[in-house]
Amino acid sequence: MRSSGPAAPAFVHLAAHPLRWRLLTELAASDYRVRELVERVGQPQNLVSYHLRLLRGGGLVTARRSSYDARDSYYHLDLEQCAHALTNAGTALHPALGFAPAPPPLPSPRRARRPAVLFACTGNSARSPIAEALLRHRTDGQVEVTSAGSHPKPGIHTDAVRILRERYDIDITGQRPRHLDTLLGRRFDYVISLCDKVREVCPDFGDHPRLIHWSIPDPAAANGPDTVGYPAFVRTAAEIDKRIRYLLPLLIPTPQEVQP
């Protein structure tokens, strides 16, 4: 009797199920609540919740309480963990398949116009200006990016200025928070909310921008042991930067996609 051989990697088992794969593809685009995923995949809530638990158990999906309604949770796909799992699965099949993800392509000078991105949070004093600065930095200014808030604070948080200067060599000294209403009438290709509260009140900018939600807690409101003050901003900036690195391929076409 032949040996059954090594078992397939855990990622293969998790991702091979049709509903779990659908949930992964939905969460790859944005953070969602359970009821939103139920609507998007067209399956009963108890079934969706069951498969979300399996994905969480496999370390691919995380859940975070909504800052808008603590009875709700947002689910987030850890794309970096998926990248590692895919690489490990390839290596298990053959060593030559254990590749490192390629760096994002550089923007092409032949594009007709720059893609426009708006980052939104409540106060426009921490999360959204950090995202604005990091995306502009990562694309060398070849993406039109701005940020705003539903209830802007009087100024940018000092720890947001500090983390960008010390960790990313970006200076936003002198930048001021702005209200979302001041941007009405402008065209955006992507509107990305970083705050559960602002997602509920973000105005309609028209022209059907792609709406993305990143459920990221306000570092200025963090509480608990070793989570307050500057360390909270360090973690927030790192999470935003990781998400931006996975956003870049959506904004910047590969050479094959650019038409002569």
Side-chain angles (χ1 to χ4, degrees), residues 81-214:
Q81 183 63 30
C82 285
H84 291 314
L86 282 166
T87 299
N88 292 338
T91 302
L93 183 61
H94 190 283
L97 300 179
F99 61 90
L106 293 174
S108 168
R110 292 181 288 174
R111 299 200 71 186
R113 62 173 177 81
R114 298 183 299 168
V117 177
L118 168 64
F119 290 107
C121 68
T122 299
N124 191 218
S125 63
R127 290 163 290 183
S128 56
I130 288 174
E132 175 188 358
L134 289 173
L135 180 58
R136 183 177 292 115
H137 177 70
R138 294 293 180 203
T139 58
D140 195 25
Q142 296 194 58
V143 171
E144 182 184 340
V145 54
T146 190
S147 68
S150 58
H151 296 80
K153 296 288 182 63
I156 304 295
H157 198 288
T158 55
D159 282 335
V161 176
R162 177 185 170 190
I163 184 62
L164 288 170
R165 182 180 64 248
E166 293 184 352
R167 298 293 180 99
Y168 303 94
D169 197 26
I170 301 171
D171 184 11
I172 62 169
T173 303
Q175 182 170 318
R176 305 290 295 179
R178 62 176 66 86
H179 200 289
L180 284 165
D181 288 351
T182 65
L183 301 175
L184 292 176
R186 285 183 54 175
R187 179 200 57 79
F188 293 103
D189 298 293
Y190 292 81
V191 174
I192 303 175
S193 53
L194 294 90
C195 166
D196 302 336
K197 295 177 182 177
V198 85
R199 187 188 186 211
E200 304 296 329
V201 299
C202 193
D204 181 4
F205 287 93
D207 294 328
H208 306 290
R210 181 168 181 178
L211 303 179
I212 296 175
H213 182 55
W214 297 348

